[in-house]
């Protein structure tokens, strides 16, 4: 169970290559099996690397288990975050997020916005020989989300302010959760408060300009028109969607770009798929549409395989709400549970006719009532971005550039890419 108070937390969080299990899990699984007890984040805990048990836990949300993130995380996320709320409140807030994503993902306005921002970013690279890809892709994903959610243009000062606060906010997720002024955690709590204030000010301005709530030009307008959430709940759901659409999507795109640099056969197959889509268009400059997205089957395989290999979210926090017996295991009531997943990058494995069976063995976007509500939206963003990337550029990574789990995935040097435009003559 490790040391008093901190248990084995520091060893559990020790940085390692994200496309590996890391020394902590390797040693413990070889010594104790794929399900073992420990003491993590101040509580006795069960760590499960057993897929069947993980699926059982995720499918029994609110029946046998409930979400249970460490208390300090609530200071960063806020008390109404989808990550920490449960029961009817979680269902209500999640339904709002799902309705936004369901109504957004295939609209021409959203698809045009994705493509326009992707093309503009790649145009800005034309004279570059090297780019810090993580920094660039975070700008892309956040600019897309603030435009679609809040109608804020990328060049507006407010967009830069939100990006800056989000970067500070994210550093708190991978820091020691002790509130001491000047620490990453304390700065993240303050950044979250500033972000909340920014969104709250936008809400007040909208209500002042349009008290009847009839505008409906972006997601915030849709929420305000329905009046089903309190101001605090509205702020929280907007920040949750910004967070999901910004950080995890950007990280996944960075992982795909990293894996493609080391898998020329995958890059070539991906390029062929997107060239075929471009060739089918009467006008070569015609914008992409929903039908084009539905033809990006190998692209979808690449996305799932990058999630499988890259471990964007390495573990989730749950707590048993009563004694639970699963096979030969007994999980005591009140104990925390951490479900974990991971090395060959091979998107063709998703071509199997038994895709339904594979989907049961691999959970790229989670499972159960907390299945990622933004999965399809993220896939659209990534697919459109990759379309223009593979048709316009080739790239190499630095030899020492690796995805590291801190525990959230980071590239130590920001994924520096040597890039070269593809000659189309």
């Amino acid at each position: 169970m490790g040391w008093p108070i901190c248990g084995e937390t520091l060893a559990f969080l020790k940085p390692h290559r994200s496309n590996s299990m890391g020394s902590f899990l390797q040693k413990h699984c070889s010594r104790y099996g794929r399900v073992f007890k420990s003491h993590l984040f101040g509580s006795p805990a069960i760590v499960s690397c057993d897929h069947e048990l993980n699926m059982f836990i995720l499918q029994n949300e609110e029946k046998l288990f409930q979400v249970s993130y460490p208390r300090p995380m609530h200071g960063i996320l806020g008390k109404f975050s989808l990550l920490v709320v449960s029961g009817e409140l979680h269902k209500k807030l999640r339904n709002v997020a799902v309705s936004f994503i369901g109504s957004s993902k295939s609209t021409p306005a959203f698809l045009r916005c994705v493509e326009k921002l992707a093309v503009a970013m790649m145009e800005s690279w034309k004279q570059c020989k090297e780019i810090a890809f993580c920094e660039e892709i975070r700008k892309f994903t956040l600019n897309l989300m603030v435009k679609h959610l809040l109608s804020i243009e990328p060049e507006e000062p407010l967009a830069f302010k939100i990006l800056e606060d989000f970067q500070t906010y994210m550093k708190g997720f991978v820091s020691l959760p002790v509130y001491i002024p000047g620490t990453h955690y304390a700065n993240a709590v303050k950044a979250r408060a500033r972000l909340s204030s920014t969104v709250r000010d936008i809400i007040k301005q909208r209500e002042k300009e349009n008290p009847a709530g009839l505008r409906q030009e972006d997601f915030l307008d849709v929420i305000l028109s329905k009046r089903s959430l309190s101001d605090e709940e509205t702020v929280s759901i907007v920040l949750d969607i910004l967070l999901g659409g910004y950080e995890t999507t950007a990280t996944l795109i960075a992982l795909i770009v990293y894996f493609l640099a080391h898998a020329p056969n995958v890059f070539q197959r991906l390029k062929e798929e997107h060239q075929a889509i471009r060739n089918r268009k009467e006008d070569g400059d015609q914008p992409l549409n929903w039908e084009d997205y539905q033809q990006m089957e190998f692209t979808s395989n690449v996305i799932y395989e990058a999630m499988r290999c890259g471990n964007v979210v390495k573990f989730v926090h749950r707590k048993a709400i009563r004694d639970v017996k699963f096979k030969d295991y007994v999980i005591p009531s009140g104990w925390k549970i951490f479900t974990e997943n991971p090395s060959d990058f091979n998107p063709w494995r998703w071509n199997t006719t038994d895709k339904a069976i594979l989907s049961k063995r691999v959970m790229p976007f989670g499972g159960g009532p907390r299945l990622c509500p933004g999965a399809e939206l993220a896939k659209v963003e990534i697919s459109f971005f990759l379309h223009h990337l593979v048709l316009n550029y080739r790239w190499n990574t630095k030899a020492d550039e690796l995805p590291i789990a801190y525990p959230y995935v980071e590239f130590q040097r920001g994924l520096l890419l040597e890039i070269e435009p593809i000659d189309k003559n």
Side-chain angles (χ1 to χ4, degrees):
M1 301 290 279
W3 296 89
I5 303 176
C6 71
E8 297 187 292
T9 307
L10 296 179
F12 181 69
L13 295 177
K14 185 179 178 181
H16 60 88
R17 290 183 64 156
S18 76
N19 52 340
S20 73
M21 290 179 72
S23 60
F24 178 88
L25 289 181
Q26 286 172 343
K27 289 176 183 174
H28 281 65
C29 286
S30 63
R31 191 171 182 182
Y32 305 115
R34 297 185 67 80
V35 180
F36 56 88
K37 68 180 182 179
S38 183
H39 196 281
L40 302 169
F41 301 99
S43 300
I46 302 294
V47 179
S48 169
C49 295
D50 179 271
H51 186 81
E52 195 177 348
L53 176 54
N54 292 351
M55 186 69 89
F56 175 77
I57 291 166
L58 295 179
Q59 296 293 346
N60 280 280
E61 176 88 20
E62 299 297 335
K63 300 170 191 169
L64 302 175
F65 306 95
Q66 65 181 197
V67 68
S68 181
Y69 283 85
R71 179 58 53 186
M73 289 290 286
H74 294 218
I76 297 180
L77 294 166
K79 65 180 181 180
F80 289 112
S81 170
L82 275 171
L83 281 173
V84 300
V85 296
S86 55
E88 288 303 312
L89 180 57
H90 174 262
K91 192 181 294 184
K92 180 175 85 165
L93 295 177
R94 190 179 188 282
N95 284 342
V96 171
V98 168
S99 68
F100 157 67
I101 287 149
S103 63
S104 296
K105 66 185 182 186
S106 59
T107 60
F110 175 69
L111 300 180
R112 278 197 302 271
C113 183
V114 176
E115 191 165 20
K116 181 183 172 185
L117 288 174
V119 170
M121 174 155 282
M122 287 173 217
E123 284 291 322
S124 73
W125 298 344
K126 282 288 174 69
Q127 305 306 316
C128 299
K129 292 187 176 179
E130 186 175 274
I131 58 169
F133 187 78
C134 287
E135 182 181 337
E136 292 287 291
I137 200 61
R138 283 183 178 130
K139 286 179 192 171
F140 166 74
T141 55
L142 189 68
N143 285 342
L144 177 63
M145 296 312 293
V146 296
K147 168 68 176 168
H148 200 53
L149 266 70
L150 305 171
S151 297
I152 299 171
E153 297 295 335
E155 60 274 8
E156 289 184 47
L158 189 54
F160 290 108
K161 180 176 181 289
I162 291 173
L163 176 61
E164 192 175 65
D165 280 337
F166 254 108
Q167 288 172 338
T168 304
Y169 178 54
M170 286 309 303
K171 287 178 183 174
F173 279 99
V174 292
S175 64
L176 195 64
V178 177
Y179 194 97
I180 300 172
T183 60
H184 285 318
Y185 177 77
N187 291 340
V189 172
K190 290 177 182 176
R192 206 273 180 193
R194 289 194 299 271
L195 287 164
S196 297
S197 178
T198 298
V199 175
R200 204 171 280 114
D201 288 345
I202 294 171
I203 291 172
K204 286 179 183 174
Q205 187 65 26
R206 295 278 176 94
E207 290 175 333
K208 184 179 176 182
E209 293 173 353
N210 185 30
L214 301 175
R215 221 176 67 145
Q216 299 215 12
E217 292 179 7
D218 56 31
F219 174 55
L220 184 56
D221 283 336
V222 174
I223 295 181
L224 294 177
S225 69
K226 291 180 179 177
R227 304 285 177 183
S228 61
L229 304 179
S230 68
D231 280 359
E232 204 170 348
E233 289 170 343
T234 302
V235 168
S236 193
I237 199 73
V238 168
L239 291 181
D240 274 352
I241 293 172
L242 277 173
L243 176 62
Y246 160 63
E247 182 65 23
T248 51
T249 304
T251 300
L252 180 50
I253 297 174
L255 282 165
I256 292 169
V257 165
Y258 170 80
F259 287 128
L260 289 176
H262 296 83
N265 59 330
V266 179
F267 175 87
Q268 185 57 37
R269 176 67 189 88
L270 192 63
K271 185 179 175 182
E272 288 169 3
E273 176 170 88
H274 288 281
Q275 190 61 62
I277 290 169
R278 187 52 59 194
N279 292 344
R280 282 195 287 269
K281 290 186 172 293
E282 295 177 12
D283 176 0
D285 294 326
Q286 214 174 339
L288 294 168
N289 55 39
W290 184 251
E291 288 70 33
D292 295 326
Y293 167 69
Q294 291 177 310
Q295 292 169 7
M296 298 178 184
E297 293 183 11
F298 189 72
T299 306
S300 180
N301 292 353
V302 169
I303 292 170
Y304 280 122
E305 185 68 355
M307 290 282 278
R308 189 191 69 81
C309 288
N311 268 345
V312 174
V313 178
K314 185 185 174 189
F315 57 85
V316 295
H317 299 247
R318 294 292 184 270
K319 179 174 72 174
I321 52 182
R322 62 173 186 259
D323 287 353
V324 177
K325 190 170 191 311
F326 181 82
K327 295 186 176 177
D328 296 330
Y329 302 111
V330 175
I331 301 172
S333 176
W335 276 45
K336 299 288 188 77
I337 304 106
F338 296 84
T339 63
E340 303 238 0
N341 292 327
S343 249
D344 180 25
F345 180 72
N346 175 20
W348 284 276
R349 77 175 76 247
W350 294 88
N351 284 342
T352 174
T353 52
D354 294 327
K355 190 174 273 192
I357 295 172
L358 185 57
S359 296
K360 288 179 181 177
R361 294 209 312 266
V362 185
M363 299 178 289
F365 290 97
R370 290 181 183 271
L371 178 71
C372 176
E376 199 65 41
L377 199 72
K379 285 177 64 182
V380 173
E381 287 178 47
I382 295 166
S383 299
F384 277 33
F385 185 88
L386 288 175
H387 175 84
H388 290 283
L389 183 64
V390 300
L391 292 181
N392 288 283
Y393 285 95
R394 59 175 63 91
W395 61 91
N396 292 305
T397 64
K398 301 289 186 180
D400 59 346
E401 191 74 273
L402 299 168
I404 304 294
Y406 275 100
Y408 299 97
V409 178
E410 287 185 28
F411 287 86
Q412 289 178 301
R413 300 174 61 183
L415 190 54
L416 287 175
L417 299 182
E418 296 171 348
I419 61 169
E420 179 187 358
I422 293 173
D423 186 0
K424 297 189 178 176
N425 295 327

